[in-house]
């Protein structure tokens, strides 16, 4: 294999009616992105003065140089005016002109080689060339170019925006295409990346796989030990990006962790890291300081005063007054010592010295009491932060699949007499026959863990909630069952049934029962609906796409926008959110069992069920009906997530189908695509390797299977993630509406606690759910996770308009964008329809979580509660 530096030294072509190719390069210098790191700019300027600059060679797309096995190379061109460019040390993009000697025999450039002889890296955004007689050739690079010394003097290669399948790739570019993939896989001298056992450095461009063995920190204390997820039948899991850090001394199977203050240094390939705008927006990853280092200070502050809310008014003060700190309080000093002042100020919400002052959540913005209503409680199962769990009840009573010897009777203790009084005169059988009964069932997923969780400071049940579909299309909860398994202290299981009540002791018990249900649902939402089924399952697709598909591959170009920032946000999550002692364990009820439980849930994950139609059919929320516009009939016509989601889903289907038709004329063309087949094999056998033997995987022998696969990947990364992520603050920003922890069981009648509940139901309710510390930390997290960044790229948008040189592709993409804008209009009209009561509900929150926002080019970001970003990026 010829080294790129050897290619640069190859014999220069002879002159033949030479002309000039003129163009310009756009870069962002290191000093722009490193908070005024002017040292980089100065040393690179000195390098320029001594002739160590940035050099280029064009690679012909059509003419091969047989001596080096790749396209003919142009003469070397040097980047000019690095020092004197007026924008040299100013934040923002810098544009440089460049000229290449060129003759007509050279043909069209299909790639270029670049060598950085500076001491520091820079971010190469694009190169645009004006080729005589041809027009512009565009290279969208968006990549960090490190000094060649970090790569043994090697040059980097970039390809034009043209797309080629492997078998019709220009022969002049084929070798470079193959060698680039080898580098990205980290294969050196025939060894696989996993065999090198070296810790990755920031300039490495290697995508590798690893198991989740980096969540625990046993060297710090054994209480922070956590099981390895992935690679076992007990705890199967998707793979993550490999960092190569050394193992811990205490547990050799566990990878060592970075110090909290180095969280941003966790390895992901540099091009996967946040851009400077996203990084500046992501100020709240100063939460790494709050979660790990400021928590003791914050806790001590609350310990000096009662750590409880004394009234609902106390909670509301979080949105009006904040929590005031005395001057020079240690928490402020600690914060400023850990992270730059610009970063911590966003978290501190500094106004004088107020800490943790939050925006008013939408759920109480119009009416502060409607969250208590049964209709709103039920509506949020269709249009809230977790609208993907509710099922149609198809048999009564509900039945568990768990071992009755260990977990109690399989059949629910909810009887017909519990619910028939609220079925509008129907019997249970009639309600089932008319598809009127639905269930939110968290029984089996949590029951096996209850005794271990309740041995901590949490007290939870496994819940079942049965709901009835009213004539006006709204849902009404008619019964809640709360269960506990047998334990060492309790020979029999506990099963309690609660039915709706508004006043007195029964009204207070009903409000508490709904809180236990919501705690189950928030835990399921964070760990399974959100983290597992969008973030974790997507990462193997990101890794495989970069390892097996060339940037020239049309499928790579289709998918790459939907993978932006995913590896980075997941890596940061492993550092501060889902790790042992991290924010999830502190604020979500399963505590240290959180990620372990998500691994058990992964056992039931099937890729072919992740698309919206398949999911709705599985949950019984739809049935096949060829007379309907999408071939599906919804069991609840006013199901905002499903109604909007189906329009989005089929828009993606049409876009993907049209796109693929431009490259694959038949199934044989797809089956003979070596890169694509290697990509799919790696996803099945490595990225999701714990499920490699499942029979439901697509065989990838037809274009139709590829269409389904790519549509599903795009849906999960964009619309599904938007639906379960950006509603967090509007609904869960007010903790009484979406508590994440309960700290005591339902009081028994005749007990002192029961009397306290009857005497002051609100105070008892507040003493049951999250305390003040858990609330403020949890709200801080979800405010960050619910924000759109100012550089957001929404579904139907691309970061640049020149992303493809094929007009057929760009025209098809325009049609996709137009369709999404039509969907925006449809959603707005539905939200104005007073007959569709589930779209806003008593809380008056219009359902906009699946509003594409394709038409928005403002780049304002923030807590908008609408918009589908292309990728899992927050």
């Amino acid at each position: 294999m010829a080294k790129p530096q050897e290619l640069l030294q190859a014999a220069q072509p002879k002159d033949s009616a030479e002309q000039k190719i003129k163009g310009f390069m756009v870069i962002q210098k290191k000093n722009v992105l490193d908070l005024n790191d002017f040292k980089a700019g100065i040393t690179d300027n000195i390098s320029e003065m001594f002739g160590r600059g940035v050099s280029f060679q064009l690679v012909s797309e059509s003419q091969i140089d047989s001596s080096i096995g790749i396209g003919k190379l142009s003469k070397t061109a040097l980047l000019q005016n690095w020092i004197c460019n007026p924008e040299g040390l100013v934040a923002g993009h810098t544009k440089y002109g460049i000229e290449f000697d060129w003759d007509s025999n050279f043909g069209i450039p299909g790639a270029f080689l670049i060598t950085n002889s500076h001491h520091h890296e820079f971010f190469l955004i694009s190169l645009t060339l004006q080729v005589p007689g041809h027009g512009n050739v565009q290279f969208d690079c968006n990549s960090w170019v490190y000094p060649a010394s970090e790569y043994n003097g090697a040059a980097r290669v970039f390809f034009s925006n043209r797309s080629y399948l492997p078998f019709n790739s220009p022969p002049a570019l084929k070798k470079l295409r193959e060698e680039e993939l080898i580098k990205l896989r980290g294969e050196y001298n025939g060894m696989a990346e996993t065999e090198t056992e070296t810790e990755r450095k920031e300039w490495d461009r290697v995508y590798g796989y690893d198991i989740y063995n980096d969540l625990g920190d046993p060297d710090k204390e054994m209480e922070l030990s956590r099981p390895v997820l992935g690679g076992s039948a007990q705890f199967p899991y998707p793979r993550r990006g490999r960092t190569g850090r050394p193992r811990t001394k205490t547990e050799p199977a566990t990878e060592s962790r970075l110090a909290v203050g180095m969280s941003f240094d966790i390895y992901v390939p540099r091009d996967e890291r946040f851009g400077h705008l996203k990084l500046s927006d992501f100020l709240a990853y100063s939460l790494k300081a709050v979660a790990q280092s400021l928590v003791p200070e914050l806790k001590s502050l609350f310990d000096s005063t009662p750590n409880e809310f004394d009234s609902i008014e106390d909670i509301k003060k979080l949105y009006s007054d904040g929590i005031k700190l005395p001057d020079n309080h240690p928490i402020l000093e600690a914060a400023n010592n850990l992270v730059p002042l610009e970063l911590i100020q966003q978290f501190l919400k500094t106004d004088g010295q107020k800490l943790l002052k939050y925006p008013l959540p939408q759920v109480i913005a119009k009416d502060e009491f409607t969250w208590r209503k049964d209709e709103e409680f039920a509506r949020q199962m269709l249009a809230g932060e977790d609208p993907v769990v509710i099922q149609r009840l198809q048999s009564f009573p509900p039945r568990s699949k768990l071992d009755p010897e260990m977990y109690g009777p399989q059949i629910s203790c909810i009887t017909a007499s519990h619910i028939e009084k609220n079925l509008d005169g129907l019997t249970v059988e009639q309600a089932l026959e008319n598809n009127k009964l639905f269930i939110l069932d968290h029984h089996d997923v949590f029951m096996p863990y209850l005794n271990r969780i309740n041995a901590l400071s949490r007290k939870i049940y496994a819940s079942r909630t049965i709901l009835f579909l009213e004539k006006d299309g709204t849902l009404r909860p008619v019964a809640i069952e709360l269960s506990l398994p047998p334990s060492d202290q309790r020979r029999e299981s506990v099963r309690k049934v609660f039915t709706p009540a508004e006043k007195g002791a029964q009204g207070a018990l009903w409000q508490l029962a709904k809180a236990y249900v919501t705690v189950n649902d928030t835990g399921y939402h964070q760990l399974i609906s959100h983290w597992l089924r969008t973030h974790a399952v997507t990462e193997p697709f990101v890794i495989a796409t970069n390892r097996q598909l060339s940037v020239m591959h049309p499928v790579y170009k289709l998918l790459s926008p939907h993978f932006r920032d995913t590896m980075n946000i997941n890596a940061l999550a492993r550092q501060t959110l889902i790790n042992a002692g991290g924010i999830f364990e502190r604020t979500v009820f399963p505590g240290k069992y959180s990620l372990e439980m998500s691994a058990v849930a992964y056992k039931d994950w099937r890729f072919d069920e992740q698309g919206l139609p398949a999911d709705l059919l599985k949950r019984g929320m739809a049935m096949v009906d060829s007379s309907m516009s999408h071939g599906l009939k919804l069991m609840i016509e006013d199901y905002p997530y499903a109604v909007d989601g189906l329009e989005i889903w089929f828009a993606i289907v049409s876009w993907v189908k049209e796109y693929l038709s431009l490259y694959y004329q038949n199934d044989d063309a797809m089956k003979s695509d070596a890169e694509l087949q290697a990509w799919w094999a790696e996803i099945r056998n490595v990225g999701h390797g714990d499920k490699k033997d499942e029979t439901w995987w697509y065989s990838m022998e037809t274009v139709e299977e590829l269409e389904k696969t790519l549509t599903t990947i795009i849906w999960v990364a964009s619309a599904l993630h938007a639906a379960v992520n950006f509603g967090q603050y509007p609904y869960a920003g007010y903790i009484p509406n979406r508590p994440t922890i309960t700290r005591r069981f339902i009081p028994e009648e005749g007990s002192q606690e029961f009397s306290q509940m009857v005497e002051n139901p609100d105070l008892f309710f507040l003493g049951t759910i999250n305390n003040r510390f858990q609330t403020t930390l949890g709200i801080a997290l979800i405010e960050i996770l619910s924000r759109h960044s100012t550089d957001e790229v929404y579904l139907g948008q691309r970061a640049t308009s020149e992303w493809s040189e094929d007009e057929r592709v760009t025209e098809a993409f325009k049609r996709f964008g137009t369709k999404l804008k039509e969907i925006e209009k449809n959603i707005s009209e539905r939200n104005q329809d007073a007959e569709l009561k589930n779209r806003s509900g008593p809380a008056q929150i219009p359902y906009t979580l699946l509003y594409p926002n394709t038409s928005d080019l403002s780049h304002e970001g923030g807590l908008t509660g609408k918009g589908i970003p292309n990728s899992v990026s927050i």
Side-chain angles (χ1 to χ4, degrees):
M1 183 189 307
K3 295 182 179 179
Q5 66 266 34
E6 294 172 351
L7 302 181
L8 283 171
Q9 295 166 1
Q12 299 292 320
K14 296 179 180 179
D15 295 342
S16 175
E18 285 193 346
Q19 302 180 57
K20 296 287 186 182
I21 287 183
K22 295 184 179 181
F24 60 87
M25 181 183 77
V26 181
I27 73 166
Q28 209 155 24
K29 296 184 178 181
K30 181 179 188 293
N31 62 287
V32 171
L33 306 177
D34 279 9
L35 295 177
N36 299 319
D37 178 9
F38 292 105
K39 179 181 177 182
I42 293 172
T43 54
D44 289 342
N45 287 349
I46 293 173
S47 294
E48 284 282 335
M49 293 170 62
F50 284 92
R52 297 191 300 273
V54 180
S55 58
F56 298 81
Q57 279 188 293
L58 301 181
V59 183
S60 172
E61 185 176 89
S62 56
Q63 303 299 315
I64 297 179
D65 184 337
S66 59
S67 67
I68 53 177
I70 66 169
K72 185 178 179 182
L73 297 177
S74 72
K75 292 181 180 179
T76 299
L78 297 176
L79 186 67
Q80 302 296 322
N81 300 322
W82 178 278
I83 298 175
C84 62
N85 189 295
E87 298 181 76
L89 291 177
V90 177
H93 296 184
T94 307
K95 183 176 176 180
Y96 295 94
I98 190 167
E99 289 187 355
F100 295 90
D101 292 330
W102 177 82
D103 67 81
S104 57
N105 293 330
F106 185 87
I108 304 302
F112 71 88
L113 303 175
I114 180 172
T115 300
N116 176 13
S117 297
H118 289 165
H119 290 285
H120 297 93
E121 70 274 19
F122 57 83
F123 189 68
L124 177 57
I125 297 169
S126 64
L127 175 67
T128 303
L129 299 177
Q130 299 163 348
V131 180
H134 175 80
N136 286 355
V137 176
Q138 182 71 22
F139 298 79
D140 283 343
C141 306
N142 297 308
S143 181
W144 286 92
V145 179
Y146 273 78
S149 58
E150 302 293 0
Y151 305 112
N152 297 318
R156 288 284 308 279
V157 61
F158 291 94
F159 300 95
S160 75
N161 287 4
R162 296 181 179 181
S163 296
Y164 296 102
L165 294 173
F167 52 80
N168 63 16
S169 184
L173 302 180
K174 185 176 180 181
K175 183 178 180 181
L176 288 174
R177 177 176 182 149
E178 294 173 349
E179 290 179 352
E180 180 71 357
L181 286 174
I182 289 172
K183 292 175 185 175
L184 292 170
R185 291 194 292 267
E187 296 173 358
Y188 302 103
N189 300 320
M191 288 198 303
E193 188 264 346
T194 53
E195 296 178 280
T196 60
E197 292 297 333
T198 56
E199 183 173 357
R200 291 279 153 234
K201 307 300 182 185
E202 67 170 84
W203 52 84
D204 287 336
R205 301 173 54 243
V206 175
Y207 292 80
Y209 297 96
D210 214 335
I211 53 180
Y212 277 71
N213 63 347
D214 62 340
L215 302 177
D217 196 1
D219 283 353
K220 186 174 183 180
E221 56 179 288
M222 285 307 299
E223 179 60 27
L224 296 177
S225 174
R226 294 293 181 270
V228 172
L229 306 184
S232 69
Q234 183 182 12
F235 297 127
Y237 221 62
R239 298 303 187 259
R240 63 170 174 91
R242 183 176 179 272
T243 68
R245 293 196 304 270
R247 303 301 177 91
T248 61
K249 297 178 182 178
T250 309
E251 294 179 351
T254 299
E255 185 173 279
S256 60
R257 295 183 55 78
L258 294 177
V260 174
M262 297 177 65
S263 292
F264 279 105
D265 294 332
I266 188 169
Y267 175 76
V268 294
R270 185 67 190 272
D271 293 345
E272 301 296 332
R273 291 194 183 187
F274 295 154
H276 76 292
L277 286 176
K278 178 64 174 281
L279 186 60
S280 64
D281 283 345
F282 203 64
L283 301 178
Y285 254 108
S286 56
L287 270 175
K288 70 178 184 285
V290 175
Q292 304 292 350
S293 301
L294 300 188
V295 159
E297 290 287 350
L298 195 54
K299 221 167 190 177
S300 67
L301 174 66
F302 290 138
D303 285 345
S304 65
T305 60
N307 193 18
E308 301 289 344
F309 292 110
D310 296 325
S311 67
I312 294 291
E313 292 299 315
D314 266 3
I315 297 179
K316 290 166 61 179
K317 289 178 182 179
L318 291 173
Y319 315 108
S320 57
D321 298 342
I323 302 170
K324 296 181 180 179
L325 292 178
D327 292 339
N328 302 318
H329 191 277
I331 190 172
L332 295 175
E333 182 179 352
N336 289 328
N337 287 339
L338 279 167
V339 292
L341 180 61
E342 304 87 18
L343 301 184
I344 201 63
Q345 279 178 342
Q346 173 70 12
F347 179 76
L348 295 178
K349 305 288 185 185
T350 304
D351 177 13
Q353 291 295 327
K354 294 178 181 178
L355 173 67
L356 307 179
K357 179 183 175 184
Y358 301 103
L360 190 66
Q362 283 180 278
V363 74
I364 57 169
K366 297 291 180 64
D367 187 325
E368 61 185 270
F369 298 112
T370 53
W371 63 272
R372 297 176 182 262
K373 293 185 176 182
D374 288 356
E375 181 185 339
E376 181 62 23
F377 169 74
R379 186 193 73 87
Q380 291 180 26
M381 300 178 196
L382 302 174
E385 70 169 358
D386 194 22
V388 297
V389 184
I390 188 171
Q391 304 173 64
R392 179 165 54 93
L393 187 63
Q394 301 185 50
S395 63
F396 185 88
R399 179 182 290 268
S400 169
K401 297 179 181 178
L402 299 176
D403 183 351
E405 293 295 323
M406 296 181 65
Y407 302 111
Q410 291 181 321
I411 299 176
S412 167
C413 65
I414 299 175
T415 65
S417 62
H418 285 124
I419 66 174
E420 285 186 341
K421 57 188 175 183
N422 287 307
L423 299 186
D424 289 352
L426 299 177
T427 65
V428 169
E429 290 75 16
Q430 290 170 329
L432 286 172
E433 184 179 348
N434 288 281
N435 299 315
K436 290 282 191 177
L437 292 180
F438 296 82
I439 185 170
L440 188 71
D441 192 347
H442 290 305
H443 183 278
D444 284 11
V445 70
F446 292 134
M447 198 71 160
Y449 278 87
L450 289 191
N451 286 334
R452 282 174 281 177
I453 292 171
N454 289 336
L456 306 173
S457 59
R458 291 90 194 268
K459 297 292 182 283
I460 67 162
Y461 298 90
S463 66
R464 292 185 178 109
T465 305
I466 295 181
L467 306 107
F468 177 70
L469 181 63
E470 303 273 18
K471 293 178 181 178
D472 64 0
T474 62
L475 288 174
R476 181 174 73 230
V478 294
I480 290 173
E481 180 184 40
L482 302 178
S483 302
L484 294 171
S487 68
D488 292 341
Q489 296 78 32
R490 192 176 51 242
R491 295 186 61 183
E492 301 293 330
S493 63
V494 173
R495 299 188 295 166
K496 299 174 181 285
V497 177
F498 301 88
T499 55
E502 294 184 1
K503 298 179 181 179
Q506 294 306 308
L509 287 171
W510 178 244
Q511 287 295 334
L512 283 175
K514 290 193 292 183
Y516 289 106
V517 171
T518 303
V519 166
N520 273 190
D521 197 52
T522 54
Y524 190 94
H525 164 256
Q526 287 290 11
L527 300 172
I528 299 171
S529 300
H530 184 196
W531 165 256
L532 174 66
R533 292 183 178 168
T534 63
H535 284 259
V537 301
T538 297
E539 188 158 356
F541 291 96
V542 181
I543 298 170
T545 299
N546 283 277
R547 285 170 54 89
Q548 299 296 345
L549 299 181
S550 166
V551 295
M552 304 169 70
H553 198 291
V555 171
Y556 178 96
K557 290 188 182 295
L558 175 69
L559 290 180
S560 59
H562 302 290
F563 296 153
R564 180 189 183 209
D565 295 337
T566 300
M567 289 188 73
N568 200 170
I569 193 64
N570 285 3
L572 289 170
R574 299 199 310 273
Q575 268 294 110
T576 64
L577 297 185
I578 63 174
N579 59 299
I583 296 176
F584 272 19
E585 290 194 359
R586 294 175 183 273
T587 61
V588 182
F589 77 83
K592 67 180 184 179
Y593 302 108
S594 295
L595 266 289
E596 179 181 324
M597 288 176 62
S598 74
V600 174
Y602 178 63
K603 293 179 180 181
D604 296 326
W605 180 86
R606 291 179 51 149
F607 178 75
D608 63 332
E609 293 178 344
Q610 301 312 299
L612 181 57
D615 172 61
L616 292 172
L617 290 169
K618 178 184 178 182
R619 292 189 284 122
M621 298 302 288
M623 63 174 56
V624 176
D625 186 340
S626 59
S627 69
M628 304 300 289
S629 59
H630 298 310
L632 293 175
K633 179 183 178 180
L634 293 176
M635 297 296 96
I636 300 177
E637 292 183 11
D638 184 15
Y639 182 1
Y641 164 74
V643 172
D644 297 358
L646 285 171
E647 289 195 3
I648 299 293
W649 169 267
F650 284 103
I652 298 171
V653 168
S654 296
W655 156 235
V656 171
K657 186 179 183 69
E658 185 173 6
Y659 182 84
L660 290 180
S661 70
L662 300 176
Y663 298 98
Y664 295 106
Q665 305 307 312
N666 50 52
D667 293 340
D668 288 339
M670 196 274 294
K671 286 191 289 187
S672 64
D673 184 341
E675 286 183 8
L676 186 82
Q677 295 299 329
W679 170 77
W680 188 239
E682 187 166 283
I683 287 167
R684 289 184 53 174
N685 296 319
V686 185
H688 284 281
D690 293 337
K691 289 185 166 287
K692 64 183 178 181
D693 296 325
E694 300 284 2
T695 57
W696 42 255
W697 285 106
Y698 298 131
S699 60
M700 206 53 71
E701 294 182 348
T702 66
V703 176
E704 182 181 1
E705 286 184 321
L706 181 59
E707 291 169 0
K708 292 178 181 178
T709 296
L710 299 180
T711 300
T712 300
I713 293 170
I714 293 171
W715 163 262
V716 170
S718 59
L720 178 59
H721 180 257
V724 298
N725 182 77
F726 293 102
Q728 291 182 87
Y729 195 80
Y731 289 101
Y734 186 62
I735 209 68
N737 181 61
R738 296 286 291 178
T740 62
I741 289 172
T742 41
R743 294 175 286 145
R744 56 187 171 193
F745 293 125
I746 286 272
E748 298 289 341
E749 189 169 359
S751 67
Q752 183 179 359
E753 283 192 333
F754 191 89
S755 299
Q756 292 171 348
M757 179 195 71
V758 173
E759 181 180 351
N760 193 332
D762 279 356
L763 186 61
F764 192 88
F765 181 89
L766 294 177
T768 301
I769 64 172
N770 305 52
N771 63 29
R772 185 187 296 258
F773 168 69
Q774 294 160 340
T775 295
T776 52
L777 189 58
I779 292 176
L781 170 64
I782 62 172
E783 184 195 353
I784 295 150
L785 299 183
S786 302
R787 285 185 177 274
H788 288 282
S789 67
T790 55
D791 68 344
E792 203 82 272
V793 182
Y794 294 104
L795 192 65
Q797 298 177 350
R798 288 285 175 130
T800 65
S801 59
E802 302 89 2
W803 65 276
S804 174
E805 290 197 354
D806 190 330
E807 288 187 7
R808 300 173 305 164
V809 170
T810 55
E811 288 301 313
F813 189 66
K814 286 179 183 178
R815 287 190 286 275
F816 178 48
T818 299
K819 180 60 178 177
L820 293 173
K821 292 173 186 177
E822 292 174 4
I823 293 172
E824 291 178 2
K825 182 180 178 181
N826 296 343
I827 290 173
S828 296
E829 290 176 352
R830 285 194 288 269
N831 284 340
Q832 296 297 318
D833 188 342
E835 297 297 314
L836 301 176
K837 295 186 176 181
N838 293 327
R839 296 205 67 91
S840 293
Q844 300 178 61
I845 307 176
Y847 189 72
T848 56
L849 293 174
L850 287 177
Y851 183 92
N853 223 26
T854 309
S855 58
D856 182 11
L857 302 176
S858 67
H859 299 291
E860 290 182 359
L863 286 171
T864 64
K866 67 179 182 179
I868 302 177
N870 272 323
S871 62
V872 179
S873 58
I874 189 67

